[in-house]
Amino acid sequence: MASSFMASKPTTAAMSFSSSVSTFLPWRFSNLSTSAAFPARPRRRIPTVKSKIREIFMPALSSTMTEGKIVSWVKSEGDVLSKGESVVVVESDKADMDVETFYDGILAAIVVAEGETAPVGAPIGLLAETEEEIDEAKAKAAAKSGSSSSGAVSPSPPPPASSPAPAIPQPPAPLAAAAKPASDGPTKIVATPYAKKLAKQHKVDIGSVVGSGPFGRITPEDVEAAAGIKSSKSNAAVAASDAPPAPVDAAPPKAASGSASLPPPLPGSTIVPFTTMQSAVSKNMVESLSVPTFRVGYPVTTDALDALYEKVKPKGVTMTALLAKATAMALAQHPVVNATCKDGKSFTYNGNINIAVAVAINGGLITPVLQDADKMDLYLLSQKWKELVEKARSKQLQPHEYNSGTFTLSNLGMFGVDRFDAILPPGQGAIMAVGASKPTIIADADGFFSVKSKMLVNVTADHRIIYGADLAAFLKTFAKIIQNPDSLTL
């Protein structure tokens, strides 16, 4: 079919061009007819290819995602796909999401099976345009898996060879020569962002580095090995290689390295690796340690809020929705508390007030976001919150539904916790921890005692942009709204 298309299109174009030339300008283009006609043919042949086998890549489902896990393939090999149809379910660092195809075609080969992981941008499947291309796609998938396995084996010798290179220069030469043909196969260089940064920093030609990651992906360890830098893995390998010649002398360094890294597990204990979500939470918590924070606590009387809650509870309104609405209304009056500082050189006044609320789910923690909470009706806000919680627990949240928060609310009061401090999430200016409302004896100005319900809220804030007076004013406004909650239902 491609050959007939190529034969018909240029012929028609040449005929129309020559007829128009001969009719209107027979003398001007007589010497240029051949030179003008022939250059047009290659231009028309360039976009025409004999086969189109497209790769289905691992998508970046969030800004913090570096790799994804294949939960399940919705389609099987040989299934006909339409543009926009779900093909595979991928587990990101926050949720399970359906991945759609951008083209029509046939799922010719699955490169990454269910339960396996792949870095962002790596091919996970191959899409063929016709049935005749399926065998070619399967051969291409087999070649990819073969190159990835060889890439995982061949880079293993260079780390030990790079460290003793000054003493024994001969062994690295044949190893490098043997590993080089493996890197000459693929024309596209796939490397992690940190590996590219290391290569630029140490002036290493990343095109000559053989990747040991999935599908030949170049990792930071590969770049360190090429630069002759001793990484933690290479140090462990060198210590292991030095152990057999001198077992007596090698024992103390081995014990020292073990004590320096992690203590041995206790007898009967079990080591459980992080899930994708737990890894993301761990990374964010470590990142938050670089931000200078301070904390301010404030007691709030909740009798009026409790009375309002009893009235609106039968209508489906939750306490979380009430607190989120009150917080958003207070932030509207104190925009600096809703601001963010990401680079340490400037800060941003956010145009939207998006309240992220921490939710504990099986295997981790996630913060669904109530967007424009200050502008939304209380009943619609509560309905939206219920939908977000259901999607969070089924791991079906979209990225904009959990990474667009400008202020975070964490409520452990429902568990009876009277007070606690929350860790500031990266990219936000403040987070408020809400404790339980409990009966408290209060003395008024005349010396009379009464019992009122009070809760203690603690706000953790970024001290680079928010100061103590800012938080005090914000909390005072928040307390007034809670003590006079009629404005929440307007």
Side-chain angles (χ1 to χ4, degrees):
M1 294 178 65
S3 60
S4 60
F5 173 78
M6 291 170 62
S8 60
K9 294 293 285 185
T11 304
T12 305
M15 290 176 62
S16 62
F17 179 78
S18 60
S19 60
S20 62
V21 170
S22 59
T23 304
F24 298 101
L25 300 172
W27 55 273
R28 183 172 297 180
F29 293 92
S30 58
N31 295 330
L32 302 177
S33 58
T34 56
S35 61
F38 286 110
R41 291 182 180 175
R43 293 179 184 175
R44 294 185 180 275
R45 291 178 180 174
I46 287 175
T48 304
V49 293
K50 294 182 179 180
S51 63
K52 288 185 179 179
I53 299 176
R54 295 185 172 95
E55 294 179 333
I56 303 175
F57 295 100
M58 174 64 72
L61 303 178
S62 68
S63 58
T64 58
M65 178 177 171
T66 57
E67 65 178 11
K69 180 181 179 181
I70 304 297
V71 178
S72 63
W73 281 93
V74 181
K75 300 294 183 179
S76 303
E77 291 185 354
D79 290 350
V80 179
L81 306 178
S82 300
K83 181 180 179 181
E85 192 174 3
S86 296
V87 181
V88 61
V89 179
V90 174
E91 178 187 4
S92 68
D93 52 358
K94 295 292 185 181
D96 293 349
M97 299 184 64
D98 292 333
V99 177
E100 302 175 351
T101 176
F102 294 101
Y103 304 98
D104 298 334
I106 303 172
L107 183 58
I110 294 176
V111 179
V112 182
E114 295 182 0
E116 298 181 357
T117 59
V120 171
I124 59 176
L126 297 179
L127 190 68
E129 203 171 54
T130 62
E131 293 182 358
E132 291 76 9
E133 300 166 359
I134 294 179
D135 293 337
E136 182 182 351
K138 289 184 177 181
K140 187 176 180 181
K144 285 182 178 293
S145 60
S147 63
S148 64
S149 61
S150 62
V153 175
S154 59
S156 56
S162 61
S163 55
I168 309 175
Q170 290 82 4
L175 289 175
K180 188 174 181 180
S183 64
D184 291 337
T187 58
K188 181 180 178 181
I189 299 175
V190 181
T192 64
Y194 185 56
K196 295 179 180 178
K197 181 179 179 181
L198 282 178
K200 184 177 181 181
Q201 180 180 352
H202 298 291
K203 298 180 180 180
V204 175
D205 182 11
I206 200 167
S208 62
V209 180
V210 180
S212 61
F215 307 101
R217 190 178 183 91
I218 299 173
T219 64
E221 289 78 11
D222 300 329
V223 177
E224 290 177 347
I229 301 174
K230 293 183 179 181
S231 62
S232 57
K233 293 184 178 181
S234 63
N235 289 337
V238 172
S241 63
D242 291 343
V248 178
D249 296 336
K254 187 175 182 180
S257 62
S259 60
S261 56
L262 288 175
L266 297 175
S269 60
T270 303
I271 298 176
V272 180
F274 276 170
T275 63
T276 308
M277 179 176 292
Q278 288 172 333
S279 298
V281 172
S282 175
K283 179 182 178 181
N284 288 340
M285 294 302 97
V286 173
E287 184 179 345
S288 67
L289 296 177
S290 62
V291 178
T293 59
F294 72 107
R295 297 164 178 83
V296 174
Y298 202 96
V300 182
T301 304
T302 61
D303 293 279
L305 181 67
D306 294 337
L308 176 63
Y309 177 59
E310 293 300 325
K311 293 180 181 179
V312 298
K313 184 178 180 181
K315 300 179 181 180
V317 177
T318 63
M319 180 59 72
T320 299
L322 286 169
L323 293 173
K325 181 68 174 180
T327 302
M329 293 176 63
L331 288 173
Q333 302 182 42
H334 304 275
V336 70
V337 185
N338 192 52
T340 57
C341 176
K342 297 182 179 180
D343 57 0
K345 300 177 182 179
S346 61
F347 65 98
T348 304
Y349 281 106
N350 295 301
N352 303 87
I353 298 177
N354 300 334
I355 305 298
V357 185
V359 175
I361 61 175
N362 185 22
L365 175 72
I366 198 169
T367 53
V369 178
L370 291 167
Q371 299 181 357
D372 295 321
D374 59 321
K375 302 175 184 178
M376 194 176 296
D377 177 78
L378 177 63
Y379 301 98
L380 293 177
L381 191 69
S382 185
Q383 181 181 356
K384 181 65 175 178
W385 174 243
K386 290 180 179 179
E387 294 175 358
L388 289 173
V389 171
E390 291 178 0
K391 294 177 71 175
R393 289 175 177 166
S394 61
K395 301 183 72 176
Q396 295 298 318
L397 285 175
Q398 298 298 312
H400 69 276
E401 293 177 325
Y402 61 78
N403 62 10
S404 59
T406 58
F407 184 97
T408 299
L409 191 66
S410 181
N411 181 16
L412 290 181
M414 63 184 74
F415 301 107
V417 178
D418 57 352
R419 69 175 302 276
F420 68 101
D421 293 327
I423 299 177
L424 181 66
Q428 295 186 17
I431 178 174
M432 183 163 66
V434 181
S437 178
K438 294 184 177 181
T440 306
I441 299 176
I442 300 175
D444 57 18
D446 299 326
F448 292 98
F449 293 92
S450 61
V451 178
K452 293 185 177 182
S453 296
K454 275 195 172 184
M455 69 177 181
L456 185 64
V457 296
N458 291 326
V459 178
T460 303
D462 186 346
H463 212 334
R464 296 175 298 179
I465 57 175
I466 303 173
Y467 306 125
D470 299 324
L471 275 191
F474 163 75
L475 288 171
K476 186 176 181 179
T477 302
F478 175 78
K480 287 182 178 180
I481 296 173
I482 294 296
Q483 293 166 5
N484 301 280
D486 294 337
S487 59
L488 297 176
T489 58
L490 298 179

